Amino acid sequence: KQTQLEPVYEAIFVGLSMERKKLYARINARVDKMIESGLIEEAYRLYQQNFRDTQAAQAIGYKELFDYFDGKLSKEEAIELLKRNSRKYAKRQYTWFQNKMEIKWFDVTEDRDKKIEEIFQYVAGKLKHVENNIL
């Protein structure tokens, strides 16, 4: 059973969403960039230092690559699994925030500059409302 906590401060929660297909493409590209920037080498150094038994080793990225180093997966399989697990994690985050918090969502799939302006206007309006209630 979870306890509901009352917020200490008035807060404005803004969430950014994106068309799933485009979000997943961005996640895949980000993983590719991490690989190009040395993630495999970083993970291997940690693997050699018996880092596997730590909680941090369970993070997305390390656990898939450790399975590659153990010979359980090919390099390509580990990278694809890392991408899949990253996409699943993004979906879980979105679902959690959507169900647990009162958030105003903005779809930033297209016309990012226009959406940023909409977000600023939304926050400014909320701040004005809070300010009026305080005074």
Side-chain angles (χ1 to χ4, degrees), residues 66-123:
F66 285 4
D67 283 347
Y68 161 56
F69 303 143
D70 285 340
K72 296 176 184 175
L73 299 172
S74 71
K75 180 179 175 181
E76 294 74 21
E77 290 170 327
I79 292 169
E80 283 307 311
L81 185 58
L82 195 166
K83 289 177 180 180
R84 188 187 82 198
N85 289 342
S86 296
R87 293 188 306 264
K88 284 182 169 184
Y89 184 68
K91 185 177 179 191
R92 281 194 313 272
Q93 283 181 316
Y94 178 76
T95 300
W96 188 89
F97 279 107
Q98 195 171 25
N99 292 327
K100 298 288 183 184
M101 302 177 79
E102 190 174 320
I103 296 179
K104 171 69 172 170
W105 291 94
F106 292 87
D107 186 325
V108 294
T109 304
E110 303 292 333
D111 202 357
R112 185 175 157 189
D113 291 338
K114 181 179 177 188
K115 291 296 179 175
I116 290 171
E117 183 58 36
E118 284 179 33
I119 294 166
F120 284 147
Q121 289 176 8
Y122 171 75
V123 171

Side-chain angles (χ1 to χ4, degrees), residues 35-91:
I35 297 295
E36 291 169 16
S37 296
L39 178 62
I40 293 174
E41 293 78 10
E42 173 189 328
Y44 189 67
R45 283 191 301 276
L46 295 171
Y47 175 82
Q48 289 178 312
Q49 297 171 9
N50 294 321
F51 184 72
R52 181 177 206 115
D53 296 328
T54 66
Q55 180 66 32
Q58 298 308 308
I60 297 171
Y62 293 135
K63 63 183 176 182
E64 295 85 0
L65 292 174
F66 285 4
D67 283 347
Y68 161 56
F69 303 143
D70 285 340
K72 296 176 184 175
L73 299 172
S74 71
K75 180 179 175 181
E76 294 74 21
E77 290 170 327
I79 292 169
E80 283 307 311
L81 185 58
L82 195 166
K83 289 177 180 180
R84 188 187 82 198
N85 289 342
S86 296
R87 293 188 306 264
K88 284 182 169 184
Y89 184 68
K91 185 177 179 191

